[in-house]
Amino acid sequence: MTTPRLVAFDLDDTLAPSKSAIDPRIGDLLVALAERVEVAIISGGQLGQFTAQVVERLPEASDDVLSRLHLMPTCGTQYYRLTPAGIETVYARTLTDDQKTRALTAVEEEARRLGLWASETWGDILEDRGSQITFSALGQTAPVDAKMAWDPTGEKKNALRDAVAARIPDLEVRSGGSTSVDITERGIDKAFGMRQLAEQTGIDLDDMLFVGDRLDEAGNDYPVLAMGVACQAVEGWPDTAAFLEQLIPTLPARA
């Protein structure tokens, strides 16, 4: 693939620092990209994060351009589009009450057993995102520097992921962001989100490009690479911006 018809991005640490708003430079580049191709964001975060971090920070753009932005929270278990009337739901899957209860119980008990349940946090450690249960070791609103220092090697998250997965084998448990572990239906990951994009847009996976910061085998972006989608590895939003500044001029303008 030399000219993608759709470019998909991870959110935290790819388009912006964790739980932070995008830089104006990224906003300008996303709009410029959407003037040429479809643009998708796939992340373990919930819709509120997408709205606060990205949508509300975009520069002014036409309805036609904004309609090419695809929002896929919780790894594609939810799918939204931007319309003149606001954010439109395409679909939204949810976990059952039983699945949520078992997931919440397992992740809290295993975090406490492993000594990973912090006594002082920035916000809630556990969050019900409807289609996903998320554990954030330092709380949902912890500062970026504290998150980066908590588990730089990924050892803590991986240990917790393995312990929780053994407790609830019917659900998917994976390492999420810098301090998080996400739990969804079995088989739900970013590869699922990319397949949903292909189904909803009619764009073949071979015509898509994915940009992410965690394409290593233990990373939550790796399933996209493993399914054969063309990928671009980045290290933080400035790296993404530099890549887009090179990519966008090579893409044909829409008629």
Side-chain angles (χ1 to χ4, degrees), residues 42 72-79 91-93 131 172 174 184-200 205 220 223-224 227 229:
I42 304 178
M72 305 194 80
T74 55
C75 295
T77 56
Q78 300 170 21
Y79 182 18
Y91 66 73
R93 303 165 64 121
S131 55
E172 191 80 34
R174 63 186 174 279
T184 63
E185 292 178 82
R186 194 74 179 163
I188 301 295
D189 54 25
K190 289 184 181 177
F192 168 85
M194 296 297 287
R195 287 191 292 269
Q196 291 298 310
L197 266 179
E199 180 178 324
Q200 294 287 336
L205 290 170
N220 62 351
V224 183
M227 75 187 299
V229 171

Side-chain angles (χ1 to χ4, degrees), residues 11-255:
L11 179 50
D12 283 348
D13 300 319
T14 296
L15 290 177
S18 179
K19 303 297 189 299
S20 302
I22 57 172
D23 186 88
R25 181 180 169 198
I26 287 289
D28 290 340
L29 288 166
L30 288 176
V31 168
L33 184 64
E35 289 173 348
R36 293 162 173 78
V37 298
E38 302 294 311
V39 177
I41 302 174
I42 304 178
S43 170
Q46 60 180 333
L47 179 61
Q49 290 173 232
F50 282 59
T51 302
Q53 290 181 250
V54 181
V55 177
E56 294 176 351
R57 303 289 179 157
L58 291 174
E60 186 175 350
S62 69
D63 291 339
D64 187 47
V65 168
L66 293 178
S67 72
R68 298 187 198 118
L69 187 61
H70 307 256
L71 307 177
M72 305 194 80
T74 55
C75 295
T77 56
Q78 300 170 21
Y79 182 18
Y80 303 90
R81 301 290 298 275
L82 297 186
T83 73
I87 297 177
E88 176 184 278
T89 303
V90 179
Y91 66 73
R93 303 165 64 121
T94 59
L95 293 168
T96 66
D97 289 342
D98 173 68
Q99 289 171 325
K100 291 178 180 180
T101 297
R102 290 187 293 110
L104 288 164
T105 299
V107 73
E108 178 171 351
E109 290 182 353
E110 292 305 316
R112 291 184 183 278
R113 183 180 67 81
L114 293 169
L116 302 179
W117 191 269
S119 57
E120 296 183 10
T121 63
W122 292 265
D124 295 334
I125 293 176
L126 296 177
E127 185 179 10
D128 178 356
R129 296 179 176 175
S131 55
Q132 177 176 292
I133 298 299
T134 294
F135 165 89
S136 297
L138 301 180
Q140 290 295 320
T141 59
V144 173
D145 57 349
K147 288 184 176 184
M148 298 304 293
W150 182 74
D151 187 25
T153 66
E155 181 178 357
K156 294 178 182 178
K157 285 189 304 177
N158 291 341
L160 180 59
R161 178 198 62 202
D162 292 346
V164 175
R167 292 270 304 266
I168 45 175
D170 59 312
L171 297 176
E172 191 80 34
V173 184
R174 63 186 174 279
S175 174
S178 52
T179 64
S180 64
V181 169
D182 298 326
I183 304 170
T184 63
E185 292 178 82
R186 194 74 179 163
I188 301 295
D189 54 25
K190 289 184 181 177
F192 168 85
M194 296 297 287
R195 287 191 292 269
Q196 291 298 310
L197 266 179
E199 180 178 324
Q200 294 287 336
T201 64
I203 297 174
D204 193 272
L205 290 170
D206 290 340
D207 292 323
M208 295 184 184
L209 171 66
F210 179 84
V211 181
D213 71 306
R214 291 294 312 279
L215 288 162
D216 56 285
E217 289 194 26
N220 62 351
D221 296 330
Y222 180 74
V224 183
L225 178 66
M227 75 187 299
V229 171
C231 291
Q232 174 68 33
V234 294
E235 296 182 2
W237 75 263
D239 199 12
T240 300
F243 170 69
L244 289 178
E245 287 169 346
Q246 292 184 331
L247 174 67
I248 290 171
T250 71
L251 302 174
R254 285 182 177 258

